[in-house]
Amino acid sequence: MPLIARASIDQVQAAADMVEIVGQYTELRKAGANYSGRCPFHEERTPSFSVNPAEKLYYCFGCGAGGNLFGFVQAKENLDFAGAVEYLADRYGIELEYEESSARGDAERHRRERLRALLEQATAYYERVLHDAGAAAPAREYLKQRGLGDDVCRQFRLGFSLAGWDKLREAARAKKFSDQDLLDAGLVVPGKGGRPYDRFRGRIMFPLADDRGRTLGFGARTMGDEKPKYLNSPETPLYHKSEAVFGLHAAKAAAGREDRVYVVEGYTDVLALVQAGVHNVVASMGTALTEQQLKRLARVTRNLYLCFDADAAGLGAMSRALTLGRKMGLSLHVVRVPDGLDPADYVLSGAGGEGFRALAADAQTLLQFHVRLALATHDLDKPDGRARAFAQLKGVLSKAATPIERDEELRHVADRLQLSAESVRYLLAGSGRSAEGGDAAGEGRSQPPQGGGAAAAVGGAHELEVRFLAGCLAQPQKGRVVLAAVDESFFATTETRAALRVVKARLEREGAGNTLQTAAKAAEEDDDGEALAEVVVRAGRERFTATVVDELFLRLQEAHVSRLIARLKVTAQTDESGKQGAELIRLQAVRRTVREAIRTIPVDEEPDEG
Ligand SMILES: [Zn+2]
C-alpha cells in the first residue's frame, strides 16, 4: 500500500467540495445546514439521503449507507482509500506527497506504476499500429465493415497487434521495459529457452480499463478463423478477469445520469451503441456476469438492462445474472433484440439509438423473462410438455414482485398452456405460499418473528447509542457533562464505540478546526465511519433538548445495566462463591432506580436553543 503523506490527505480533504462530489450522482437540495437528495446507494422515490457539507459526511436514513468524503468516493468510484485520495487530488489539482514508508510498500507501488506505464505504452503502440501500419489494413477494413467509425474506435483506444512474434516486445524493450515487466503485465508468454514472445498477434486490441480509464489489460479478437476467437490478458497484479467490465469508464457519467446501464456481450456492441448515441453501455467479459462485476455496476446504478444473445448460453447466463442480481437487490431487466440480431447489427441496420431505446422501453422484467424462458423450453404442443411447463411456472410465478405483475403473466401463461380458468386459479393459489421474497396477493402474511434475538437487540442498541451521541453533539454543554460519566463499555458495537471516541474528543477540544480531521480520520481508518456519519448528520437534523439528552443518557444506562444483568444471569448459575449472585441483585436494584428516573423525567415544554 502506498502511504500518502498525512498533510496531503488533509489538503485534499480541505479542497474537495462534498456537495459537488455527491452531486455527480444525485441531485441535492439545501435543507438547513445540510443538503438532502435521493440516495445514490439505493433506489428510492423520496429523499432520505443527507450530506453535511461542513464536515463532509453523508448518511442515508433509508439504507444506512454513510461515511466521509473519502468513503463516498471509494464506494461510488470503486477505489481503495489511496485511490480515492488520488482521484480527488486529480480533480482538485493537488500534488500528493508520499511518505517514506516501508521499503516493501514502495517497491510494490513502483512495481504497479511501472506496469501501468508499460500498459499505457502498449495501448498507445497498438493504437498507432491500427491507424498507421500497412499490415493493419485488414483490421481497419474489418472495423469499417462492422460500421464502426474512426471516432468511436479512437474513443475506446482500439488497437492492432502485428502478426510477428516479438513486435510488441521489441517496441517495449526500446522503451527500456524488461522481459519481466512484460511478463508481469501479461503482454508476453514465456517461450522455450527463456525467450518470451508476444501474447497477442494479429488481433484487434480492446483495452480493458479501470474506472479512471487506465488500461489494466486487453481483450483481443481475431479477424479470421484462429482459435480462440477472443483472447484476454491473464490474471496480473492489475488485471482481474472477474472484475473486468469493458467500457465502464466511458459509460459511468451517462449511466449515473440516466440511472441505468445496458450490459451487452460484445465489445463491438458497446462501440456501435455509443456511436448511435447510447452512452450508458458496457460489455461483460464472456457470458457469465460475476458478483464482482455486478458490484462495480451497482456503484453506478442499480438498474441493469441485460442485452444478451437469445441462444442457450446467453439465456443461461442471463438467468444466472438475474438470480444473482436479485439477491444483491438490483433491479434487472432483459432487452430482447428481434430476429436474433446482436445489438450492434440492430442499431447499424437502421434502427439506430432510438430503435434501441424503444426496445429497452419494452424490456422484460425478471418475471416475464423467466415465464417466457419456461414456456420456450417445453414442447407446448404435447400434454406432458404443457404439464412440465406448468410445474416450472408455479415456482417462477411465486417470484412476482407484485400481484398485478403476476396476474398479467398468469393470463399469458393460461393462454399458452391452454389452461382452463379453473387451472389458472389453482396455479394462482399454489404459487403464493412458497413466495421467496415476493408478495403473495392479498394473503395475510405472517408477522415477522418477534423478539428477533441478538440481531434485533443490537439494532435497538445501535439506534439508541447513535441518538444519544447525536444529542450530545447537538447539546454540547449537556453532552460534555453526560459523556464524562460514560465509557466504551456502555456501547454495544465497535462502530458506536468508535463514534463515541470521536464525539468525546470533539467536545473536549472545542476547536472547530480539529473536529474535521478527527472525524475524517476516524472514518477512514476502518469501517466504523458509518455510525459516526449517522451521528453527525442526525445531530444537525433532529431536534434535541437538554432534557432529551438526559433521557437518552438514562436509557443508555438502562440498556447497559440490562446487558450486564443478562450476562451475569448466565455465569451466576455456575458461580459457587455466590459473589455473582450478589452482584446480580445489586445491578437489578440499579436498574430499578434508573427506570424510576426515566419515568419521572419532567415533560419538556420549551426546547432549548441548539
Ligand atoms: Zn440509501
Side-chain angles (χ1 to χ4, degrees):
M1 282 289 285
L3 262 189
I4 301 169
R6 186 73 236 167
S8 288
I9 296 173
D10 292 345
Q11 240 184 316
V12 171
Q13 162 84 20
D17 180 343
M18 187 71 178
V19 174
E20 180 186 287
I21 293 294
V22 176
Q24 296 177 101
Y25 305 94
T26 183
E27 199 176 316
L28 293 173
R29 277 169 209 277
K30 197 147 181 15
N34 289 338
Y35 282 78
S36 74
R38 290 191 309 184
C39 177
F41 294 99
H42 84 281
E43 232 183 314
E44 60 175 8
R45 296 225 164 77
T46 52
S48 49
F49 186 78
S50 266
V51 172
N52 178 319
E55 307 282 354
K56 304 187 186 180
L57 295 166
Y58 69 97
Y59 184 74
C60 172
F61 291 88
C63 69
N68 66 5
L69 167 70
F70 298 113
F72 184 86
V73 174
Q74 278 177 258
K76 290 308 286 184
E77 299 289 331
N78 190 30
L79 298 167
D80 60 12
F81 177 71
V85 177
E86 285 167 0
Y87 168 94
L88 288 165
D90 231 29
R91 201 181 160 97
Y92 292 98
I94 286 157
E95 198 158 325
L96 293 176
E97 279 168 24
Y98 291 84
E99 270 171 21
E100 290 308 318
S101 55
S102 69
R104 194 199 282 170
D106 275 2
E108 166 88 352
R109 182 161 57 87
H110 284 134
R111 188 83 209 119
R112 291 171 74 88
E113 272 171 17
R114 185 148 183 84
L115 294 185
R116 277 191 214 290
L118 171 55
L119 286 160
E120 169 55 34
Q121 291 278 351
T123 308
Y125 165 80
Y126 289 137
E127 270 187 289
R128 271 199 310 278
V129 171
L130 175 66
H131 295 291
D132 302 335
R140 292 193 290 271
E141 185 55 30
Y142 170 86
L143 292 167
K144 206 169 138 194
Q145 289 272 310
R146 294 238 51 184
L148 300 172
D150 208 42
D151 284 351
V152 77
C153 291
R154 285 184 194 273
Q155 185 191 338
F156 285 87
R157 303 192 71 188
L158 265 52
F160 186 71
S161 52
L162 292 166
W165 291 92
D166 52 7
K167 299 288 189 198
L168 174 80
R169 178 168 174 259
E170 271 169 18
R173 286 170 67 95
K175 299 260 183 193
K176 303 281 181 275
F177 288 100
S178 68
D179 279 343
Q180 193 58 50
D181 294 335
L182 285 154
L183 280 166
D184 289 351
L187 293 168
V188 297
V189 179
K192 281 181 196 142
R195 191 186 154 92
Y197 59 90
D198 287 0
R199 177 182 298 273
F200 304 108
R201 301 178 307 278
R203 288 168 179 267
I204 297 179
M205 306 296 294
F206 298 85
L208 303 167
D210 66 8
D211 292 4
R212 290 155 74 182
R214 301 177 300 187
T215 302
L216 303 177
F218 292 94
R221 187 198 198 288
T222 65
M223 293 175 301
D225 297 328
E226 302 94 21
K227 294 272 155 46
K229 191 165 155 198
Y230 288 98
L231 182 65
N232 290 343
S233 289
E235 292 289 310
T236 73
L238 295 179
Y239 176 76
H240 308 290
K241 180 173 190 271
S242 61
E243 295 168 6
V245 177
F246 177 70
L248 185 54
H249 172 250
K252 234 170 27 176
R257 217 166 32 239
E258 292 186 31
D259 198 16
R260 68 162 66 170
V261 66
Y262 300 109
V263 185
V264 297
E265 275 183 90
Y267 307 128
T268 49
D269 292 327
V270 171
L271 270 67
L273 281 166
V274 168
Q275 188 170 258
V278 180
H279 293 277
N280 44 336
V281 58
V282 300
S284 63
M285 304 291 301
T287 45
L289 269 172
T290 66
E291 194 174 337
Q292 291 97 311
Q293 289 172 317
L294 288 172
K295 275 186 186 157
R296 279 187 76 186
L297 294 171
R299 292 197 174 102
V300 181
T301 170
R302 304 195 75 80
N303 297 309
L304 311 190
Y305 284 70
L306 306 185
C307 191
F308 290 4
D309 283 353
D311 61 14
L315 290 176
M318 270 193 286
S319 181
R320 280 190 301 278
L322 289 168
T323 310
L324 191 58
R326 188 166 174 272
K327 271 192 211 143
M328 296 169 64
L330 302 175
S331 172
L332 289 145
H333 308 262
V334 176
V335 180
R336 302 304 294 268
V337 182
D339 307 325
L341 293 175
D342 61 31
D345 294 330
Y346 185 72
V347 293
L348 292 167
S349 70
E354 280 320 300
F356 181 81
R357 286 207 179 85
L359 285 185
D362 281 336
Q364 292 173 0
T365 62
L366 175 68
L367 180 73
Q368 290 168 335
F369 172 76
H370 277 297
V371 165
R372 277 150 189 75
L373 189 61
L375 290 173
T377 42
H378 299 283
D379 183 356
L380 303 184
D381 289 336
K382 297 197 177 109
D384 64 329
R386 288 199 294 276
R388 270 196 294 271
F390 181 90
Q392 190 179 340
L393 283 164
K394 266 178 77 170
V396 168
L397 285 165
S398 73
K399 290 176 183 158
T402 65
I404 295 170
E405 187 192 17
R406 190 175 50 159
D407 284 351
E408 272 174 17
E409 284 312 295
L410 265 173
R411 275 196 288 281
H412 179 71
V413 168
D415 198 39
R416 292 291 307 279
L417 295 186
Q418 303 162 32
L419 286 169
S420 65
E422 199 76 341
S423 306
V424 176
R425 260 196 296 280
Y426 168 71
L427 192 58
L428 183 64
S431 59
R433 300 256 150 59
S434 62
E436 166 217 318
D439 283 328
E443 290 169 7
R445 307 211 73 191
S446 59
Q447 295 297 313
Q450 336 157 312
V458 170
H462 178 92
E463 164 66 19
L464 173 62
E465 290 161 14
V466 163
R467 225 175 139 229
F468 169 70
L469 290 174
C472 290
L473 271 188
Q475 292 286 337
Q477 273 187 329
K478 173 60 81 179
R480 237 169 266 131
V481 174
V482 293
L483 280 176
V486 161
D487 67 45
E488 290 187 14
S489 68
F490 282 63
F491 288 72
T493 66
T494 53
E495 245 193 292
T496 46
R497 275 180 216 134
L500 166 71
R501 282 196 295 277
V502 177
V503 172
K504 261 192 166 177
R506 171 175 177 154
L507 290 183
E508 276 160 19
R509 262 181 243 157
E510 280 273 36
N514 288 331
T515 61
L516 206 139
Q517 268 97 345
T518 331
K521 198 165 177 214
E524 103 204 7
E525 272 164 5
D526 41 27
D527 292 333
D528 299 343
E530 286 188 12
L532 178 62
E534 187 181 355
V535 167
V536 176
V537 170
R538 288 179 68 162
R541 172 173 155 142
E542 289 169 31
R543 203 158 175 77
F544 291 97
T545 63
T547 315
V548 167
V549 176
D550 272 333
E551 180 184 344
L552 288 168
F553 178 46
L554 285 169
R555 290 195 186 280
L556 187 74
Q557 293 175 63
E558 191 212 352
H560 174 54
V561 173
S562 293
R563 275 197 300 275
L564 292 178
I565 289 172
R567 212 174 303 151
L568 261 184
K569 273 186 177 164
V570 177
T571 54
Q573 289 170 350
T574 52
D575 171 39
E576 288 170 13
S577 73
K579 277 186 194 155
Q580 293 194 347
E583 175 67 3
L584 189 57
I585 290 164
R586 188 187 73 82
L587 285 174
Q588 282 165 338
V590 170
R591 184 163 64 177
R592 272 196 301 279
T593 315
V594 173
R595 285 181 173 165
E596 185 53 30
I598 292 173
R599 250 198 306 281
T600 54
I601 285 175
V603 177
D604 218 358
E605 286 179 1
E606 224 165 306
D608 309 19
E609 275 314 302

